[in-house]
Amino acid sequence: MRLIGSVNSEREARNLAAWLTAEGVDTHVEPDEKGFEIWIRHEDQLRQAREELNRFQANPDDPRYSQAHSRAAEIERERNRRQKNYAKNVVHGPRRTAATHSSPLTILLIAISGVVALMTNFGEVPTDKLVRNKAYQAMAFGFTEGDAAKKILAENNDRPDAIPVRLASIWRGEVWRLLTPMFIHFGTMHIIFNMVMLFQLGRMVEIRFGTVWLGAIVLLAAAFSNLAQGLVPQSLQGSPPALFGDMMITLFGGMSGVVYGLFGFIWIKSVIDPPSRMFVTPSTVVIMIGWMLLCMSPFADTLGLRVANWAHGVGLVTGMAIAWVATMLFQRGKVQ
């Protein structure tokens, strides 16, 4: 639901709600301390509803508003009739939980991550064995072997850190590698933490904004965070391909870039767009930002933490940027 504004009296609220309903806008009225709030149920009707509210506030005594009650009542009766007919024809199957029903993409991402974890032994094998795992090879950010690896290295003075070497797989057309590293994890704690956070944050976005919005955030956060981690120089904690005989393969992965992207989106939304009803607790902010800063600090090496810091940071910034741009466009009426 989306708050579009408020009116002073109950009569005005009922007249406006009747008019909006007659115009096809599904409306809900809630009293508050100063009057009555007008909410709409569907984001795609936001622009129309705000325009109607502005016209109403300019002339609330226009007879068309008081005369709209009969049309609104007829629409409501027709809606109830259709709902009853629909209910008669529905065959109820096994009951599904609200989490699965309302957040299919979140559940799908978790399921794929679990399958990949099983296929790669949760990443809990020696590195020389992991890099020979076919599933890992197929989803790593970069993987080149044999003559192709020798050729690209020779052309770049045997420097795995060179940009053409890092992007060799992508430039061959294997663009899925911009996304698939998010499904790779290194240890049970790694995947458990990421999946718990994905379940909480992903569901919040998907239930509130829908599967398409969640999909867009996931795709952008994954692509930008993986690209950053794969391109930043090794001296700045980037991840160039590692050499194993005649094989070059990139050794990073995880859903953390996406998780930080979702966190950044929700965090900014909660600050600049309160009507969106997105919310993160102060303790969550402290934990997420504190963990990211700890992993970037010199103490990370002392604690034995091997973290894709660029993926975290770029994922966070991507999510924040999406939230800011989307909110600005909505407020200017450019996105319905």
Side-chain angles (χ1 to χ4, degrees):
M1 292 180 63
R2 186 83 164 182
L3 176 65
I4 64 167
S6 60
V7 295
N8 296 325
S9 69
E10 183 177 1
R11 181 184 67 84
E12 290 183 351
R14 291 184 180 278
N15 286 347
L16 177 57
W19 174 258
L20 288 172
T21 299
E23 292 297 301
V25 179
D26 201 353
T27 309
H28 175 71
V29 176
E30 287 186 4
D32 68 358
E33 298 85 354
K34 299 180 181 180
F36 292 82
E37 294 180 338
I38 310 298
W39 294 78
I40 63 169
R41 299 186 188 277
H42 304 293
E43 292 277 348
D44 59 354
Q45 296 178 324
L46 179 62
R47 184 175 183 177
Q48 178 188 358
R50 284 180 172 169
E51 290 175 351
E52 294 293 348
L53 174 62
N54 291 335
R55 283 191 280 267
F56 177 84
Q57 291 175 330
N59 187 14
D61 296 322
D62 191 318
R64 64 177 177 170
Y65 297 120
S66 58
Q67 294 169 2
H69 287 276
S70 59
R71 271 204 301 154
E74 179 60 30
I75 290 172
E76 190 63 30
R77 284 193 294 270
E78 177 64 17
R79 182 183 299 162
N80 291 337
R81 184 185 68 79
R82 290 180 179 178
Q83 184 63 33
K84 289 178 180 179
N85 290 338
Y86 173 78
K88 291 178 182 178
N89 295 311
V90 171
V91 177
H92 295 283
R95 188 171 183 180
R96 299 163 67 187
T97 64
T100 303
H101 181 69
S102 57
S103 50
L105 181 55
T106 303
I107 301 303
L108 178 61
L109 292 172
I110 293 172
I112 294 174
S113 298
V115 171
V116 172
L118 292 173
M119 295 173 66
T120 58
N121 298 304
F122 289 83
E124 295 183 326
V125 295
T127 303
D128 61 336
K129 290 185 179 180
L130 178 64
V131 299
R132 286 171 174 77
N133 182 288
K134 295 300 182 182
Y136 185 86
Q137 292 176 357
M139 287 183 288
F141 179 80
F143 174 71
T144 308
E145 63 178 340
D147 293 338
K150 294 176 183 178
K151 181 180 178 182
I152 192 71
L153 278 172
E155 291 173 350
N156 290 274
N157 301 317
D158 292 326
R159 291 176 49 240
D161 205 27
I163 296 298
V165 178
R166 290 167 174 262
L167 292 178
S169 298
I170 308 297
W171 285 353
R172 286 199 305 268
E174 298 171 3
V175 292
W176 68 83
R177 295 182 184 275
L178 289 171
L179 305 177
T180 49
M182 67 179 169
F183 297 118
I184 300 171
H185 289 86
F186 302 98
T188 53
M189 292 306 299
H190 187 203
I191 190 172
I192 288 173
F193 176 81
N194 278 343
M195 294 304 101
V196 168
M197 296 305 299
L198 174 62
F199 182 74
Q200 293 178 352
L201 302 177
R203 282 191 64 235
M204 189 185 304
V205 172
E206 191 167 12
I207 290 172
R208 178 63 187 83
F209 289 95
T211 299
V212 173
W213 268 98
L214 175 62
I217 297 170
V218 169
L219 289 175
L220 290 172
F224 284 125
S225 62
N226 289 331
L227 189 61
Q229 189 64 41
L231 288 183
V232 170
Q234 186 173 14
S235 59
L236 296 177
Q237 299 186 346
S239 301
L243 301 179
F244 292 87
D246 65 346
M247 177 195 311
M248 296 188 306
I249 191 165
T250 308
L251 298 172
F252 74 84
M255 193 67 71
S256 300
V258 171
V259 166
Y260 270 97
L262 294 170
F263 164 68
F265 178 85
I266 296 169
W267 187 17
I268 293 302
K269 269 291 187 182
S270 70
V271 173
I272 67 176
D273 187 17
S276 69
R277 296 187 175 183
M278 303 297 280
F279 179 74
V280 287
T281 64
S283 60
T284 300
V285 175
V286 171
I287 291 171
M288 295 294 286
I289 299 301
W291 174 252
M292 186 173 69
L293 293 177
L294 173 63
C295 292
M296 292 179 176
S297 73
F299 298 106
D301 290 336
T302 304
L303 296 173
L305 298 175
R306 297 177 58 193
V307 182
N309 289 317
W310 284 96
H312 288 187
V314 172
L316 175 65
V317 172
T318 300
M320 296 170 75
I322 294 171
W324 187 85
V325 171
T327 302
M328 293 303 104
L329 291 178
F330 268 112
Q331 289 178 351
R332 293 174 186 173
K334 294 182 180 178
V335 176
Q336 296 185 6

